[in-house]
Amino acid sequence: MIVVGGEALIDLVPLERPAGALLPRPGGGPYNTALALGRLGAEVAFCSRVSTDGFGDALLAGLRAAGVDLSLVRRGPEPTSLAVPSLAPDGSAAYGFYVEGTADRLFTLPPALPPGARALALGTCSLVLEPGASAYEALLRRESRRGLTTLVDPNVRPALIADPAAYRRRFLERLPYVSVLKLSQEDADWIGGRVDDWLAAGPSAVVLTRGAAGLTVWTASGEEHTQAARPVTVADTIGAGDTVNAALLQRLVAAGPDAVDWPATLAYAARAAALTCSRPGAEPPYAAELDLGR
């Protein structure tokens, strides 16, 4: 089983560019990752705190329909977090947030993960917003020490980060507990630093996504592989990186982080991300939609 921890929120997606009516869509990096894993056929559980409001009910219904285990989800009466993406002409998105007093940021450390858990994925807002951020970090450290494969996607949202220097220090402090660090080029530019230094701190692999330029992996054993992006008509890029997370996790758990076929894994992730980009909002593909032979 793969456990994905973090926020579930509502993206208010503009129907026109640069502005227009807003369409509520399920979102949040961890939520999208769990949804994508379920659609790809992985055994996956979502670990979070979700509002009891109507948005919260809709979020959980989406995960349930994808076959995601919800036994680690706790509910609370506080409202659901909201994100408002602003779409550029190329489909890329910047985000504003409404997160004060919301349910997901009050997450507390669960006593244990299911016995069959083999991997844990964390990222995005849940690693920034306190008090939940400290609870998720404690979960990362505990499960890493227990031997779980861990993936962290910082998915940096500068609008939420009051102290960039403190965020960067905390990012480095987590690396000894991370098996695979996945981040976008924008994340890497904002955080600063070098891939070699990140690998030396603990991860067995660093995966960097570059949008239309594809994605690259560097491993602690000295491998480097690049996969071109799949050509696609882009509706928007919302959820593309989260779909990459899901594809990586599915292959990592199947092979183990030290035995993964990285060229095949990157090709699989690129195909899945392309399908997500071809649709408005975070709509990851189902396993049946992926032509693994091409």
Side-chain angles (χ1 to χ4, degrees):
M1 172 183 281
I2 300 165
V3 177
V4 182
E7 76 278 359
L9 52 76
I10 293 294
D11 284 330
L12 298 176
V13 181
L15 296 178
E16 300 175 5
R17 301 176 192 174
L22 300 176
L23 176 66
R25 299 292 294 268
Y31 178 92
N32 295 337
T33 298
L35 181 71
L37 279 163
R39 290 185 176 185
L40 292 175
E43 184 182 7
V44 55
F46 189 54
C47 181
S48 186
R49 189 171 186 274
V50 176
S51 177
T52 54
D53 65 15
F55 282 147
D57 290 342
L59 287 162
L60 294 186
L63 293 178
R64 195 176 292 112
V68 178
D69 183 330
L70 301 179
S71 60
L72 293 170
V73 173
R74 299 294 176 261
R75 307 294 299 272
E78 303 82 11
T80 297
S81 294
L82 302 176
V84 184
S86 299
L87 301 178
D90 64 356
S92 61
Y95 292 85
F97 293 92
Y98 298 87
V99 294
E100 290 301 319
T102 50
D104 54 311
R105 66 187 301 171
L106 299 180
F107 172 82
T108 56
L109 180 67
L113 297 186
R118 297 177 59 192
L120 171 68
L122 299 171
T124 317
C125 307
S126 56
L127 292 179
V128 177
L129 298 173
E130 295 290 4
S134 291
Y136 283 114
E137 187 163 315
L139 180 64
L140 171 68
R141 294 176 183 238
R142 186 184 76 188
E143 300 306 322
S144 174
R145 293 187 183 109
R146 289 183 56 239
L148 266 67
T149 297
T150 57
L151 180 146
V152 168
D153 175 10
N155 207 4
V156 176
R157 301 296 185 231
L160 294 177
I161 299 172
D163 187 341
Y167 178 94
R168 293 179 176 111
R169 286 194 300 271
R170 201 167 185 179
F171 167 82
L172 294 174
E173 290 168 357
R174 293 189 187 110
L175 292 182
Y177 305 96
V178 177
S179 306
V180 176
L181 173 65
K182 177 265 178 183
L183 68 174
S184 68
Q185 184 67 61
E186 293 81 5
D187 293 337
D189 292 343
W190 190 91
I191 292 169
R194 299 169 57 246
V195 170
D196 288 347
D197 293 335
W198 298 335
L199 286 170
S204 61
V206 173
V207 177
L208 185 69
T209 61
R210 297 190 179 96
L215 59 165
T216 298
V217 64
W218 296 265
T219 73
S221 62
E223 291 184 73
E224 179 180 339
H225 304 283
T226 293
Q227 169 64 46
R230 290 288 189 115
V232 66
T233 299
V234 175
D236 61 52
T237 63
I238 298 172
D242 309 320
T243 301
V244 170
N245 290 342
L248 295 176
L249 285 161
Q250 188 181 38
R251 293 301 180 90
L252 285 166
V253 167
D258 298 321
V260 65
D261 180 343
W262 280 109
T265 297
L266 295 185
Y268 179 60
R271 172 65 174 152
L275 287 172
T276 302
C277 289
S278 71
R279 304 160 174 168
E283 283 293 341
Y286 293 86
E289 296 179 86
L290 293 176
D291 181 2
L292 303 183
R294 296 174 58 188

